[in-house]
Amino acid sequence: MANVVVVGAQWGDEGKGKIVDWLSERADIIARFQGGHNAGHTLVIDGKVFKLSLLPSGIVRGGKLSVIGNGVVLDPWHLVEEIAKLRGQGVEISPDNLMIAENTPLILPIHGELDRAREAQASVAKIGTTGRGIGPAYEDKVGRRSVRVADLADAATLELRVDRALVHHDALRRGLGMEPVDRDGLIKALREIAPEVLQFAAPVWKVLNDQRKAGKRILFEGAQGALLDIDFGTYPFVTSSNVIAGQAATGVGLGPGAIDFVLGIVKAYTTRVGEGPFPAELNDEIGQRLGERGHEFGTVTGRKRRCGWFDAALVRQTCATSGVNGIALTKLDVLDGFDELKICVGYDLDGKRIDYLPTAADHQARCKPIYESLPGWSESTEGARSWADLPANAIKYVRRVEELIECSVALLSTSPEREDTILVTDPFAD
């Protein structure tokens, strides 16, 4: 059976939540493979709004197994809060439908404290993090000083892991003028939260391999967007994990052969939260209009998103690095009513035309967008469920996007409602 990876192909906020929810009806297992609770997914189901930041989107659908893989960094206190909130909305959550990899690293309070302290340093350029400890938790993971889910089950191991982490963190805190960590208080808090987390702990790699052999369909759910990838994003204004599709296998414990189709989620225009380069950004009335029509505020942080025209050069680049087989184009309806639309087709770098965003930060800063203009449309595309419902110019816009990014549209989303989706190619087709 086909297994599908869903990745954001821009800077995040592309509408992955709805698409994953739409696809989850066809899947047996929905697995998160990277990121933390800095990601935000908004689902609208039968008029009811669910806001998720850590749990896989499939958790709101009955009869599905939701998995948090080892590629995620997990804040156990946030996990408990999010579960309680969803249960309050009538969602059933138990070890029968939620599983957390035993080797998942934990986000501790000291990670958030360090994250915020660094961002507050006036002498250091801000990265624009959410301050939730994601980056420091990933640093501890690669530094081999993480507390992982399995460590919560043994008191001696837990103390050993905490002590190893504090050798590093207390030294950092001294340099930042912070008080040493309350070791005993941290261990006590972890022991108290341990039962809430351990009930969901499992050898995810084994379960997923067994389920795959049994013919079950797996939907791999990523967070953020490929332009925030630690290797291929606009470094250093990126997240602290690999976001591209190759991480899906590593982030849950499957081989790369488990991936059959990569679906890139692409917004019909471009947005970005936080700091960093954005060649096609519009600091004018058009940018303001896109933000207002698209309700461009972060699900997790509430921060206003920067807006600009669709950047085909960037999406073509991310489709290549993630091996995207087809895209889901979202928020086409936000472009309704524009007399003229523009697409960024490349950049002018010191008088030379290039068709990709260079790696060097100073080159990125000097890139000026090269636009191609297309006619807009006055008719509404909101709620369209077939090509016949779309204005001719809207179809021309979509076709031109396909040509420029060198990838076809598999799904077209025309509103936050899951039913308002045009299926072109079924990602789950065998």
Side-chain angles (χ1 to χ4, degrees):
M1 306 294 283
N3 298 318
V4 178
V5 177
V6 174
V7 294
Q10 293 159 305
W11 276 294
D13 312 310
E14 301 96 347
K16 291 184 292 296
K18 171 197 167 170
I19 301 300
V20 170
D21 175 61
W22 192 88
L23 290 169
S24 68
E25 193 169 46
R26 307 283 309 282
D28 302 297
I29 302 164
I30 298 87
R32 267 286 301 273
F33 61 84
Q34 55 77 222
H37 63 304
N38 55 340
H41 292 165
T42 300
L43 309 181
V44 181
I45 302 172
D46 298 328
K48 198 170 185 178
V49 178
F50 298 92
K51 295 195 175 187
L52 311 176
S53 56
L54 178 61
L55 294 170
S57 298
I59 199 70
V60 299
R61 292 285 168 190
K64 312 292 180 181
L65 173 61
S66 289
V67 170
I68 295 176
N70 55 276
V72 173
V73 283
L74 176 78
D75 183 322
W77 295 275
H78 179 87
L79 173 73
V80 171
E81 290 176 5
E82 192 167 324
I83 288 174
K85 182 178 179 181
L86 289 176
R87 282 174 173 164
Q89 291 184 277
V91 178
E92 293 185 10
I93 301 175
S94 74
D96 293 329
N97 68 343
L98 176 63
M99 186 179 296
I100 301 172
E102 296 170 317
N103 53 338
T104 301
L106 299 182
I107 299 176
L108 308 179
I110 57 176
H111 293 132
E113 292 166 5
L114 178 59
D115 205 355
R116 293 186 291 274
R118 284 172 170 170
E119 284 287 289
Q121 296 295 304
S123 61
V124 180
K126 293 182 182 298
I127 299 297
T129 76
T130 59
R132 297 189 169 213
I134 311 298
Y138 274 117
E139 290 175 39
D140 279 0
K141 175 181 178 177
V142 298
R144 294 165 290 184
R145 53 180 174 266
S146 285
V147 177
R148 304 198 295 180
V149 168
D151 300 329
L152 296 174
D154 180 73
T157 301
L158 179 60
E159 290 195 20
L160 184 65
R161 296 286 186 267
V162 168
D163 287 340
R164 181 176 177 83
L166 295 193
V167 169
H168 175 79
H169 280 270
D170 279 339
L172 279 179
R173 291 166 76 95
R174 281 195 299 272
L176 291 167
M178 302 169 67
E179 292 293 322
V181 176
D182 177 2
R183 173 191 181 274
D184 294 341
L186 176 57
I187 291 173
K188 180 175 182 290
L190 285 168
R191 285 174 176 166
E192 290 174 349
I193 201 75
E196 301 286 348
V197 178
L198 289 172
Q199 63 178 311
F200 302 108
V204 159
W205 68 269
K206 185 178 188 306
V207 172
L208 291 187
N209 274 279
D210 289 345
Q211 291 293 308
R212 180 173 174 246
K213 291 175 183 175
K216 301 297 183 181
R217 285 176 166 171
I218 305 170
L219 182 62
F220 301 91
E221 178 182 6
Q224 290 96 28
L227 290 169
L228 295 175
D229 184 271
I230 188 68
D231 287 309
F232 294 99
T234 48
Y235 191 90
F237 304 100
V238 293
T239 194
S240 298
S241 61
N242 285 114
V243 180
I244 59 176
Q247 174 64 21
T250 305
V252 298
L254 288 172
I259 299 172
D260 299 301
F261 191 98
V262 178
L263 181 69
I265 314 300
V266 178
K267 197 179 294 187
Y269 51 102
T270 311
T271 63
R272 175 165 201 169
V273 171
E275 308 296 325
F278 186 172
E281 183 174 9
L282 295 171
N283 295 304
D284 57 14
E285 292 181 2
I286 294 176
Q288 180 75 14
R289 182 178 174 186
L290 288 171
E292 291 173 353
R293 287 181 57 84
H295 307 290
E296 297 297 348
F297 296 90
T299 300
V300 171
T301 64
R303 290 186 292 180
K304 184 178 179 181
R305 297 175 186 139
R306 301 152 63 190
C307 298
W309 292 121
F310 183 80
D311 192 327
L314 281 179
V315 175
R316 182 170 59 247
Q317 192 167 327
T318 58
C319 283
T321 56
S322 269
V324 172
N325 300 106
I327 69 165
L329 190 65
T330 67
K331 290 198 168 185
L332 183 67
D333 54 301
V334 173
L335 300 181
D336 293 352
F338 282 93
D339 295 329
E340 180 186 54
L341 301 171
K342 293 184 179 181
I343 296 178
C344 176
V345 295
Y347 312 107
D348 181 308
L349 176 58
D350 303 333
K352 178 183 178 181
R353 179 167 178 156
I354 59 176
D355 61 359
Y356 67 97
L357 191 66
T359 299
D362 62 319
H363 288 181
Q364 291 177 353
R366 297 204 302 274
C367 281
K368 298 177 181 178
I370 298 172
Y371 289 117
E372 178 179 299
S373 296
L374 288 85
W377 55 87
S378 57
E379 307 96 319
S380 173
T381 63
E382 184 175 0
R385 299 184 182 180
S386 72
W387 287 108
D389 296 333
L390 297 175
N393 282 347
I395 295 175
K396 290 179 182 177
Y397 181 83
V398 174
R399 294 306 186 202
R400 186 56 180 150
V401 165
E402 290 180 314
E403 291 173 356
L404 290 169
I405 68 172
E406 300 174 1
C407 193
S408 60
V409 170
L411 295 164
L412 188 64
S413 171
T414 55
S415 93
E417 295 289 341
R418 77 191 297 266
E419 292 81 9
D420 294 338
T421 306
I422 300 171
L423 176 64
V424 182
T425 300
D426 185 355
F428 276 119
D430 295 335

